[in-house]
Amino acid sequence: MGPFRFRLAKVMDWYEKQSHLEAERLRMCAEQVVRMHAEIDQHKTNVLAHQMELLAKPNPEPHELAALGPFQRGARKQEHRLRQKLKRDEEATEKQREISQAAQQRLRLIEKLRERREAEHQYLFDRELEEIASEAYLARYARELNEAQNLR
């Protein structure tokens, strides 16, 4: 019996590469979600700083106060757009998580199959080795018995 060779080794390698690729895509999606959270926080900080700067003035100009309303509406619209982008990114991340988990599951399945086939191979190898050992023992026993009978 020859050494163990898993016939689906190339398939298993491909599944492993696919699993790593999907995990990398998931990492990139998660990073995009983190970036969007940071962008939303930065936007809020900028809007708040601008409003505080205007309201901190002892005598703000009337046109500055008049521009505050449209500025706030624009800021809310921008935040809404950012939140929509965040929601799309979170949905894409969840979809990619499912894809990544499916790829990992396929890989685990073929790894278990490989382990099972390797265990079967080892069992058959051990059994063949035991048969050879028992045949050798019986041959030696028969030879010793024959020699003992010839000496009488």
Side-chain angles (χ1 to χ4, degrees):
M1 176 173 272
F4 174 72
R5 188 178 79 75
F6 186 52
R7 285 188 263 158
L8 297 174
K10 288 182 181 180
V11 173
M12 189 170 84
D13 290 343
W14 188 84
Y15 278 173
E16 187 173 4
K17 288 175 186 173
Q18 188 69 22
S19 179
H20 289 301
L21 178 67
E22 298 302 345
E24 179 62 21
R25 286 181 182 157
L26 176 60
R27 184 190 62 76
M28 290 170 36
C29 286
E31 285 176 357
Q32 178 61 27
V33 168
V34 169
R35 280 193 298 273
M36 284 307 301
H37 278 289
E39 191 173 337
I40 290 170
D41 291 344
Q42 184 63 44
H43 175 71
K44 286 179 177 181
T45 302
N46 291 343
V47 168
L48 187 60
H50 182 71
Q51 290 174 348
M52 294 302 289
E53 178 185 326
L54 178 64
L55 296 175
K57 288 184 177 181
N59 293 320
E61 296 290 326
H63 70 277
E64 291 176 328
L65 291 175
L68 185 59
F71 171 76
Q72 288 174 333
R73 280 192 299 280
R76 281 193 300 270
K77 284 181 183 179
Q78 178 63 18
E79 184 177 347
H80 180 69
R81 283 192 293 272
L82 291 172
R83 290 201 179 277
Q84 285 178 330
K85 173 93 171 74
L86 173 64
K87 183 178 178 185
R88 286 191 303 270
D89 290 345
E90 287 174 337
E91 289 170 354
T93 300
E94 188 55 38
K95 183 177 179 183
Q96 185 59 40
R97 184 180 332 281
E98 292 170 4
I99 291 169
S100 182
Q101 287 174 344
Q104 289 173 353
Q105 188 176 15
R106 282 191 303 270
L107 178 60
R108 281 193 305 271
L109 181 67
I110 201 162
E111 285 173 342
K112 285 182 180 180
L113 179 61
R114 182 190 188 285
E115 289 171 4
R116 189 176 311 137
R117 295 270 169 88
E118 191 171 17
E120 288 173 9
H121 179 269
Q122 188 63 43
Y123 171 76
L124 292 174
F125 179 78
D126 291 346
R127 202 167 99 195
E128 185 178 315
L129 189 62
E130 286 177 13
E131 287 176 13
I132 292 171
S134 64
E135 287 174 8
Y137 176 78
L138 290 175
R140 191 181 85 202
Y141 179 74
R143 186 178 63 243
E144 289 174 359
L145 185 62
N146 192 18
E147 288 175 0
Q149 287 178 353
N150 287 340
L151 289 177
R152 282 190 207 177

